[in-house]
């Protein structure tokens, strides 16, 4: 059974999820304003760069209830911000509205917040309770917490394989494995990811668009490994439907600089559709990809192939989730072997027609160890 505070934070989490795919690189946040066990306001962060959850929550209070705000408790799933970003500090609004008590799910790990919001509210003599459904609040924003506490993106490895554990033909031709409904689920996953990554051969042989055309939402940034810049310009990844970053070792002039601030890089990704990012070449590739994502302010990455690239992340134990789609009725006998990974307990398993979808979490990368 939930306690009173837990029940309202749970409602905050429900609201926060409505912002999925629309608020990154900001976290998903929900807020609820309660007067004597009656909810008088609700809100969530709806769009990156626009009003935060607390602002929308207070703005939703009806005129007849506005006089109750300074006698109410504000519940919010993540610590209110205390700094000027794209919007003013939420702490200032809470203080201005004379809200006497704030219950917070978890602290914000972002360096410009990270306890500063709590301290600012306490300094204004506002009663603060923290750590309510803390693990659930962290779970909701796993990419955000991973990025700010580990200086790397949240990493999801995903592939489809046949019933005999093959991911493709040996010959250079494409193999379609998952069914059309499962493909829509994959495109939903794409809208939930900041970026999507494939290697040179996958881009060349499969010629994927790497967009979410089967699901409504924002396209991820396409990351393509092309160390020698040998990919043809007529591939779908260069169709300008989504930003594309070529990760290369090739000495070129037009590159995104690794010493630019993340905010600068992320903004420029959407001003120009195709960019090049020069890898240093002095570390194993998975670590260099993570460093590139950090500099580009890409908080999550969906690695879709090929097999060698996926295996390289597994070998370095550099992943948070593995999502495997297995077509249980398709056998091809001769083909490229699916990646091998340690025996893990799946956190979710379900079927869509002939496809078995299993999701595995890396226990060493759990949010509880962040």
């Amino acid at each position: 059974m939930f306690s009173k505070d837990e029940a309202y934070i749970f409602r905050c989490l429900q609201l926060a999820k409505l912002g999925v795919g629309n608020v990154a690189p900001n976290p998903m946040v929900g807020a609820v304003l309660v007067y004597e066990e009656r909810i008088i306001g609700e809100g969530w962060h709806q769009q990156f760069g626009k009003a935060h959850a607390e602002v929308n929550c207070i703005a939703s209070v009806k005129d007849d209830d506005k006089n109750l705000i300074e006698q109410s408790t504000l519940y919010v799933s993540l610590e209110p911000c205390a700094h000027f970003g794209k919007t003013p500090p939420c702490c200032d609004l809470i203080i201005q509205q004379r809200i006497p008590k704030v219950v917070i799910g978890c602290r914000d790990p972002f360096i410009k917040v990270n306890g500063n919001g709590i301290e600012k509210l306490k300094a204004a003599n506002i009663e603060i309770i923290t750590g309510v459904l803390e693990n659930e609040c962290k779970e909701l924003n796993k990419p955000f917490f991973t990025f700010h506490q580990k200086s790397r993106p949240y990493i999801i490895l995903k592939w489809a394989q046949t019933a005999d554990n093959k991911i493709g033909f040996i010959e250079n031709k494409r193999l379609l494995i998952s069914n059309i409904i499962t493909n829509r689920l994959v495109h939903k996953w794409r809208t939930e990811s900041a970026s999507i990554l494939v290697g040179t051969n996958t881009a060349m042989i499969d010629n994927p668009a790497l967009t979410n055309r089967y699901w409504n939402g924002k396209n991820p940034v396409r990351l393509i490994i092309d160390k020698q810049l040998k990919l043809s310009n007529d591939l779908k990844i260069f169709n300008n439907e989504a930003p594309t970053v070529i990760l290369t070792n090739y000495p070129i002039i037009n590159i995104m600089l690794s010493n630019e601030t993340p905010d600068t890089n992320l903004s420029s990704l959407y001003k120009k559709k195709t960019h090049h990012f020069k890898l240093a070449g002095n570390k194993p590739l998975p670590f260099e990809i993570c460093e590139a994502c950090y500099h580009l302010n890409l908080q999550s990455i969906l690695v879709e192939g090929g097999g060698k690239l996926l295996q390289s992340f597994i070998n370095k134990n550099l992943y948070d989730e593995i999502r495997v789609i297995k077509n249980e009725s398709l056998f091809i006998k001769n083909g490229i072997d699916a990646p091998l990974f340690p025996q893990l307990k799946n956190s979710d398993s379900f079927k869509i027609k002939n496809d078995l979808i299993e999701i595995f979490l890396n226990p060493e990368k759990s949010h509880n160890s962040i």
Side-chain angles (χ1 to χ4, degrees):
M1 292 288 293
F2 280 158
S3 69
K4 178 185 72 173
D5 286 349
E6 288 174 337
Y8 289 126
I9 290 295
F10 181 77
R11 176 56 181 162
C12 290
L13 292 172
Q14 289 180 318
L15 293 166
K17 291 175 184 177
L18 297 175
V20 65
N22 295 315
V23 301
N26 284 353
M28 293 177 281
V29 183
V32 175
L33 192 62
V34 180
Y35 172 76
E36 294 185 350
E37 307 304 311
R38 179 166 69 90
I39 294 176
I40 63 172
E42 291 188 330
W44 66 95
H45 187 27
Q46 299 177 14
Q47 191 75 41
F48 175 68
K50 296 187 178 180
H52 288 186
E54 300 92 325
V55 177
N56 290 328
C57 175
I58 293 170
S60 75
V61 177
K62 295 179 180 178
D63 289 341
D64 291 345
D65 289 333
K66 288 191 184 299
N67 64 310
L68 303 177
I69 292 177
E70 58 185 57
Q71 304 172 60
S72 300
T73 298
L74 177 67
Y75 292 84
V76 60
S77 56
L78 190 70
E79 175 184 5
C81 62
H83 69 289
F84 281 89
K86 291 186 177 296
T87 60
C90 291
C91 283
D92 290 358
L93 177 64
I94 295 169
I95 295 169
Q96 176 191 339
Q97 293 289 323
R98 298 182 179 180
I99 295 173
K101 181 178 178 180
V102 179
V103 179
I104 299 168
C106 64
R107 283 175 57 147
D108 187 330
F110 182 42
I111 191 169
K112 292 183 179 180
V113 185
N114 198 12
N116 293 328
I118 292 171
E119 293 306 314
K120 190 170 186 176
L121 294 175
K122 284 182 176 179
N125 295 317
I126 294 173
E127 181 185 352
I128 301 295
I129 295 177
T130 61
V132 179
L133 296 186
E134 183 175 12
N135 285 341
E136 290 84 348
C137 291
K138 288 182 177 180
E139 179 75 16
L140 176 68
N141 286 300
K142 290 183 290 186
F144 182 78
F145 277 84
T146 299
F147 186 84
H148 287 292
Q149 295 188 330
K150 295 187 175 183
S151 299
R152 69 163 177 83
Y154 187 85
I155 302 165
I156 301 170
L157 309 181
K158 168 263 167 184
W159 66 85
Q161 64 185 53
T162 63
D164 50 354
N165 302 323
K166 307 298 180 183
I167 62 171
F169 294 117
I170 295 176
E171 304 85 4
N172 289 343
K173 61 179 181 178
R174 188 175 187 182
L175 172 64
L176 299 176
I177 297 176
S178 52
N179 65 57
I180 58 173
I181 300 176
T182 303
N183 287 344
R184 280 153 176 75
L185 172 64
V186 171
H187 284 225
K188 178 179 181 291
W189 290 345
R190 290 178 178 180
T191 67
E192 297 167 351
S193 299
S195 61
I196 184 169
L197 171 71
V198 298
T200 309
N201 288 338
T202 299
M204 188 182 303
I205 297 168
D206 291 351
N207 191 20
L210 302 181
T211 59
N212 57 306
R213 57 201 176 277
Y214 298 142
W215 197 268
N216 184 44
K218 191 175 183 179
N219 286 317
V221 174
R222 300 179 286 202
L223 301 177
I224 315 297
I225 299 169
D226 186 10
K227 293 183 178 181
Q228 299 303 318
L229 296 183
K230 63 182 183 180
L231 291 176
S232 170
N233 288 333
D234 60 3
L235 291 173
K236 292 177 183 177
I237 56 171
F238 297 112
N239 61 12
N240 288 332
E241 291 181 5
T244 299
V245 177
I246 305 299
L247 304 174
T248 184
N249 289 336
Y250 202 82
I252 53 178
I253 297 175
N254 180 27
I255 62 171
M256 300 200 71
L257 301 176
S258 61
N259 61 358
E260 290 183 60
T261 63
D263 285 342
T264 300
N265 273 316
L266 186 62
S267 299
S268 61
L269 281 177
Y270 289 90
K271 291 177 183 176
K272 182 184 176 184
K273 291 300 186 181
T274 302
H275 306 265
H276 293 86
F277 190 100
K278 190 176 185 305
L279 302 173
N282 56 2
K283 294 180 181 179
L285 184 58
F287 292 101
E288 293 210 313
I289 291 169
C290 286
E291 288 184 359
C293 286
Y294 185 73
H295 286 300
L296 296 170
N297 203 14
L298 298 170
Q299 294 180 2
S300 59
I301 180 171
L302 181 64
V303 185
E304 287 209 1
K308 289 182 179 179
L309 179 61
L310 290 160
Q311 192 67 58
S312 70
F313 277 89
I314 294 170
N315 291 347
K316 296 299 180 183
N317 194 32
L318 191 56
Y319 62 92
D320 297 283
E321 294 184 30
I322 292 177
R323 300 178 182 180
V324 180
I325 300 165
K326 188 170 187 176
N327 185 328
E328 296 183 311
S329 62
L330 177 62
F331 296 82
I332 64 169
K333 296 183 179 179
N334 295 319
I336 301 170
D337 291 332
L340 297 175
F341 60 97
Q343 186 171 2
L344 301 171
K345 182 179 179 180
N346 62 20
S347 68
D348 198 5
S349 177
F350 56 94
K351 291 192 70 173
I352 300 177
K353 297 178 71 174
N354 54 328
D355 290 341
L356 172 66
I357 294 93
E358 293 185 288
I359 299 177
F360 304 89
L361 301 182
N362 187 336
E364 297 180 26
K365 309 296 183 183
S366 161
H367 73 270
N368 290 320
S369 65
I370 287 176

